[in-house]
């Protein structure tokens, strides 16, 4: 786990574009509150979430930023964290993340969390917004929309949502709701209205396969890049149905339309790599995975993800939610893992140093800027890969 | 493959709890007999089972314990084995395994093998029993039970079986019989009786999906930890149906009831890790896998299994059957693989030494003792994770 | 990535048997033409196929054979390639591949490519032929065969195709057409005729599940080893349906008949290994994979593929198509990857050197020669594993 050499130095100096993350919880956190944000599930009596690879990584890599020794105890950690107070803690970790651009999914808010603008202010960075389409649909349903009007009403609501300044992408958590083993065809409005009627009658969250298909096809109409949760998550997912390979038939049907970004992917990072290698519009990251496995395994995960992935297709995301530590750990695990992988190949003369530096710069931010059209957003400039007919998004970022 | 350092020393000194294994074949073994026990399939003409990673590991790590040079030939190995005789060979390997506790699945007996008591005597250890529920059901069916009486009769037979002294868990080989792609709901007794009628008419082993579901739900009623074969095995399995992720819906339904232990898992160790990370009641091991892949790959397998698994959830098992060599190799591959993984992280300062030692002790035995309530079993003391309403098992071990 | 030591030396000196490959494109290649052969998909505007692990490997390991520095630019590479001309380039790479035997799939010819005889002449090697059964069926269909006559006519056409001199195996791309989630039973001729009628009415390539099953069972009747594409390929595949584990029920039904060789396998190399470990007739390779991931990852892939695979079951193939570079890279990645894996185990004394050399020789060619009956083909000598009742193929090779 050597972290010296020119590739490591380059990655340390490159600010990251975190193309998929969430906000930070703003409330003060005690030990139970902190632990509940440290795990994808709920904490369990007698089993500390600190006794995981993520917990070990927090104690190793975050404690020193709170002026504590490496491997500090959870109690010492939480005590010091409280002493410093949320704003100072958040500032330290977000500064250490050295991330200058965030694309923030604003549709997941079980806790009071920072807005993109607040996150950007804390990190001295720029924030864009990612619209979660399930939230748009559920918001619409909560207004009591007529089922027959739902197909159009959802399209309209989604169009309005992405017209907000700073929106650069949409996201779907179809993986959680139905999984990807869906009929890939666009459902007729009649079919969608019938499903909306059922949903209206029974309530709950959007989880009907026809409505999920309608949502995915609406994303195609919107023309913005679509981020898809794939692979692991909390206990609400059926992992085998979140294998991105199940998207293949749909990806064929939408060829030539929108970019599709596969998020997280673990343990299906090789399946995701296959899709990124054969479909022009497919990109991937291993966000969420990297902070859960920690720096000790980040190279191994990235090595699998990159076995056949074109180097233009790898993005960086933290998928951090809630804890400022996760922005720091995601960035560290990414820089460390990618640095080790590339530096080792340079040292073995399997890869030229200029190529390694180019790949590092692409993954750190160039690929995301190119995909989302983030660089110097001129009026009317659409992301490179978006269909020309799509109305150019106003990507004026929140900048503080 | 460095095996020095304080973590290795600690693991060498820690006696193991082998929470899932079988008995040793007591008959003398010639080369064909030995080879047939060395492979999960049947031996094939012209292809020696010694020409596998397991065979290489036997010649490398077991030959010296029979006073032979490393990498001794199969013929030399079998000759020396016969010279020493079964009891001496078994004594040497079981002593070398340095395992002080065995939980023995007594329901798989294609050959005459040792009882738990005999195994314990050979190893100078303590043995508990694991009741294989399919064997209970098939034993019941062989008595000609009335199909309408089957649902209750199986529950009663299972309750009786686990009431025997020293029983600490039940096991199911549903992976072999139907796989895990089952309706997760508890079947009605009417449905079960109808399936029992079919089974009674057609005979054979228990392989009906309704009967398998009834078996799994009976395990929930019994209240003891349930061990589940997952992943690879012999040619009787359909690997993709033994992916533990397929259990997700059932694991949700049984939340708050019994612990479920995923055995073997390969090549789905990451899927198993996901379940262990998000479901409080799920544990895993990579038994069987470790001796098949051998010490040269044990770190790699454990590294994948531990990417996100909480350290309280990893157990050790050999899943040894028949050959005393397999107890030795399982223990060696576990100590070596876990030792390398932890020591490397300590050496890189990614993990504190006290934490590494704690994780090693948990995996070597503490986790299993806690799960099965094995330590100093006081009268009426139930395993920690078992529901309070379950009658406390008499876990008086067989001790010699 | 150390490549010294006796195992590496032995592998460098061993000529390879490439048991599955295709021909070389004979036309001159400009940059777009070269790039289109470098990727499994189509090239995309703005994303060079050189910016992949395969592209990096070409610039690193192929450029020096064209008298260029390591890591030469794509432009310099193509310029020099054109200067030397196709025949000289092909000669250099095929010589560097140090492969003395090729088994050539002649049924995939989207470009004008070399015949087996021409390939053999370029490489100063021996070439055998592999008959792609889908091509036989589609050729038959193009003649306007009566649907009722199709079942017998296909069997007859296949028998004729494999009777050609030098044919040693058949191949199916069922993975592309339907995937492996098929009813494993042999379909009746009535059923096949009905499916042939549908096919005749609708045209297109052979993709009906009944016709694919008939094709696979015809392969069983032919008695020659059957090569099956499994795992990844171009964007025409649904990856999850190409998991070889899905073949399990069919492999059980055909036990005792023909050898089945699982090609490529990635990312299901462990699933393939399981099948090779439990079914006598199953073999595997990681061809195609190795040149796509490149020498930097070939050891990792082989290590997974060999976790439980009997050493008699691993074959070498390049699965090269079109570019002479791919024969060179496949051979290099195989020698390097297997050499590193075995040498490392020898250095750690986990494996005896004589055993390592034996395993290397088996994988480099002995296993393939044994399987296909390639060594010194005497008149009437059938491959070792073929059923005795099968008419012996005339395996007179094309030799120049």
């Amino acid at each position: 786990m050597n972290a010296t050499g020119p590739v490591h130095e380059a990655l340390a100096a490159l600010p990251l574009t975190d193309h998929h993350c969430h906000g930070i919880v703003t409330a003060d956190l005690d030990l139970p509150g902190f632990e509940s944000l440290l795990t994808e599930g709920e904490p369990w009596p007698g089993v500390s979430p600190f006794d995981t690879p993520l917990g070990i990584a927090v104690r190793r890599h975050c404690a020193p930023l709170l002026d504590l020794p490496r491997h500090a105890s959870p109690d010492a950690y939480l005590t010091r964290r409280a002493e410093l107070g949320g704003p100072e803690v958040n500032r330290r970790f977000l500064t250490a993340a050295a991330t200058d651009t965030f694309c923030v999914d604003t549709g997941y808010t079980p806790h009071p969390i920072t807005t993109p603008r607040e996150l950007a202010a804390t990190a001295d960075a720029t924030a864009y917004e990612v619209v979660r389409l399930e939230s748009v649909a559920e918001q619409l349903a909560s207004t009591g929309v007529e089922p027959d009007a739902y197909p159009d009403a959802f399209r309209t609501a989604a169009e309005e949502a992405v017209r907000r300044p700073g929106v650069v992408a949409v996201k779907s958590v179809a993986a959680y709701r139905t999984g990807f083993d869906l009929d890939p065809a666009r459902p007729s409005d009649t079919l969608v209205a019938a499903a909306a009627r059922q949903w209206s009658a029974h309530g709950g969250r959007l989880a009907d396969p026809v409505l999920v298909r309608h949502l995915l096809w609406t994303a195609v109409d919107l023309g913005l890049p679509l981020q898809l949760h794939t692979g692991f998550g909390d206990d609400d997912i059926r992992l085998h149905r979140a294998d991105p390979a199940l998207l293949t038939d749909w990806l064929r049907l939408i060829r030539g339309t929108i970019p599709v970004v596969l998020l997280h992917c673990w343990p299906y990072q090789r399946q995701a790599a296959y899709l990124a290698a054969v479909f022009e519009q497919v990109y991937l990251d291993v966000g969420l995975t990297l902070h859960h496995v920690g720096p000790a395994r980040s190279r191994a995960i990235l090595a699998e993800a990159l076995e056949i992935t074109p180097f233009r297709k790898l993005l960086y995301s933290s998928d951090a939610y809630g804890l400022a530590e996760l922005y720091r750990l995601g960035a560290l695990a990414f820089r460390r893992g990618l640095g080790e992988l590339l530096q080792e190949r340079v040292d073995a003369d399997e890869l030229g140093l200029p190529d390694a530096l180019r790949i590092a710069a692409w993954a750190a931010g160039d690929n995301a800027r190119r995909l989302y059209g983030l660089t110097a957003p001129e009026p009317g400039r659409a992301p490179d890969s978006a269909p020309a007919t799509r109305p150019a998004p106003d990507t004026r970022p929140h900048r503080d």
Side-chain angles (χ1 to χ4, degrees), chain A:
Chain A
M1 280 177 271
N2 173 33
T4 60
V7 183
H8 287 289
E9 286 160 26
L11 275 163
L14 278 167
L16 298 179
T17 294
D18 184 346
H19 86 107
H20 179 79
C21 62
H22 305 264
I24 309 179
V25 166
T26 48
D28 280 346
L29 291 169
D30 55 7
L31 184 59
F34 186 87
E35 289 187 336
S36 79
L37 288 163
L38 205 55
T39 167
E40 283 287 300
E42 286 300 298
W44 309 313
V47 180
S48 167
F50 274 99
D51 289 326
T52 59
L54 172 55
I56 295 289
V58 167
R59 291 170 49 215
R60 163 64 184 83
H61 291 288
C62 297
L65 285 168
L66 304 187
D67 317 312
L68 295 170
R70 297 172 169 189
H71 318 300
S73 75
D75 281 339
Y77 189 87
L78 268 294
T79 302
R80 176 62 182 159
R81 206 180 190 281
E83 270 174 28
L84 289 169
E88 173 62 11
V89 166
N90 294 346
R91 193 194 60 71
R92 290 187 182 195
F93 288 126
L94 282 167
T95 304
T99 300
D100 70 357
T101 309
F102 296 93
C103 302
V104 185
D105 172 358
T106 51
Y108 178 66
T109 53
H111 308 83
I113 52 173
T114 54
T115 64
R117 187 181 296 275
E118 290 163 346
L119 182 68
T122 307
D124 191 23
T126 304
Y128 298 88
E129 186 179 350
V130 177
V131 168
R132 186 186 285 228
L133 293 176
E134 284 80 5
S135 301
V136 173
E138 288 159 3
Q139 171 64 24
L140 176 66
S142 73
T143 66
V145 65
E146 274 301 304
D148 284 343
Y150 177 84
D152 276 337
F154 175 64
R155 277 190 290 259
T156 303
E159 280 163 11
E160 277 169 21
V162 303
R163 217 176 285 140
R164 289 202 300 267
V167 171
V168 294
V170 293
K171 181 190 176 185
S172 167
V173 291
Y176 275 101
R177 302 305 175 83
T178 55
F180 298 135
D181 202 1
L182 295 168
D183 180 347
R186 187 194 283 266
S188 70
D189 280 2
T190 312
L191 206 59
V192 175
R197 186 161 297 113
Q198 289 293 313
W199 187 25
S200 165
H202 297 99
R205 59 185 195 171
L206 183 145
D208 177 273
V210 169
L211 298 180
V212 168
R213 288 164 55 203
H214 180 247
L215 182 151
L216 294 174
W217 279 99
T218 299
V220 174
D221 297 336
L222 293 171
L224 286 174
L226 169 63
Q227 301 183 344
L228 284 177
H229 179 112
T230 72
F232 86 125
D234 65 31
D235 68 357
D236 192 27
I237 218 157
R238 289 161 190 87
L239 192 55
H240 54 290
R241 297 191 194 160
D243 177 350
L246 296 167
L247 291 163
T248 306
D249 287 325
W250 184 72
L251 290 171
R252 281 191 208 160
L253 289 180
I254 68 157
R255 236 190 297 238
T257 65
I258 56 167
V260 174
V261 190
L262 308 174
L263 305 173
H264 325 324
C265 300
W266 186 94
Y268 304 112
Q269 55 271 17
R270 284 167 161 162
Q271 282 83 344
Y274 159 72
L275 297 172
V278 299
F279 287 105
E280 182 175 1
Q281 80 268 31
V282 174
Y283 295 74
L284 66 85
D285 75 33
V286 286
L288 183 66
T289 311
L290 290 189
H291 66 249
H292 273 285
V293 306
R297 280 297 285 176
S298 56
R299 173 170 54 173
I301 303 293
L302 280 160
E304 290 183 20
L306 287 173
E307 272 165 358
I308 66 166
T309 297
F311 298 118
R312 271 296 195 190
K313 300 298 198 78
L314 179 70
L315 305 177
Y316 167 68
S317 85
S318 66
D319 195 36
Y321 172 83
L323 298 179
E325 280 86 347
L326 304 182
Y327 300 85
R328 151 71 171 165
L329 285 178
L332 174 71
F334 180 76
R335 284 192 173 95
R336 174 83 69 91
L338 187 63
E340 288 174 358
L341 185 152
L342 296 174
Q343 188 67 56
E344 182 188 72
R345 293 182 191 182
V346 169
D347 292 344
D349 199 21
E350 285 292 316
L351 179 68
L353 179 59
D355 292 311
L357 297 178
R358 201 164 46 110
I359 293 167
W362 285 349
D366 291 352
N367 289 342
R369 279 190 291 273
R370 182 172 179 271
L371 170 62
Y372 297 108
L374 302 182
T375 319
E378 300 147 19
R381 181 167 177 280
D384 294 5
S385 309
T389 56
R390 173 169 71 79
D394 179 345
T395 52
R396 271 176 306 159
H398 308 286
R399 175 85 205 185
D400 293 77

